[in-house]
Structures are given as structure tokens and as C-alpha cells.
Amino acid sequence: DSISISTYDYTKVANGFIKYTKFYVEWTVPDFSGKTEGTNTIFWRREEDCSLKKHRLIGFHLPGTN
């Protein structure tokens, strides 16, 4: 129903960068609804052709949300 994702920081590393994001989601299914929020840490690696590829993603769900 509603998704909000935003980057709050990033760090350059030798072969790419690490991006720090936060998310908030509100959802509904028949007879039930909820919300969840948390943060992600994503490592974007620079490839040989100089493009960036998502190499690792770590998600952190905040306790106390559905």
C-alpha cells in the first residue's frame, strides 16, 4: 500500500561504494494490515566495464513492527 525508501549516507570504497538506506512499509491483505521498518546496507561493486552492480545487501528489520 505504501513504501518509503531513502538513502541517509554512503561511503566510497576502493572498488565501489556502500550505501545506507532506511525503509518503511505499510501493507494490507484481506482482513489484516501492518507496517514494518528498518535499514539496509548495500555494497555496490564497480565492474570491469565501470558499471556498478549490487554485490551484497544486508537488511535490518526493526523489532516491534509487523
Side-chain angles (χ1 to χ4, degrees):
D1 298 329
S2 171
I3 299 173
S4 174
I5 302 170
S6 60
T7 299
Y8 64 88
D9 201 5
Y10 70 93
T11 302
K12 291 184 181 181
V13 293
N15 58 343
F17 68 96
I18 299 170
K19 183 168 91 168
Y20 305 95
T21 62
K22 57 185 174 180
F23 63 88
Y24 180 81
V25 179
E26 291 183 11
W27 51 271
T28 57
V29 294
D31 301 321
F32 196 69
S33 65
K35 62 182 178 180
T36 190
E37 60 185 317
T39 61
N40 290 325
T41 302
I42 306 166
F43 171 44
W44 289 87
R45 182 173 65 186
R46 180 81 53 198
E47 299 294 303
E48 288 184 20
D49 66 358
C50 293
S51 65
L52 289 168
K53 181 178 181 181
K54 191 184 301 182
H55 186 66
R56 293 278 189 263
L57 167 67
I58 302 169
F60 303 98
H61 179 257
L62 297 177
T65 60
N66 295 336

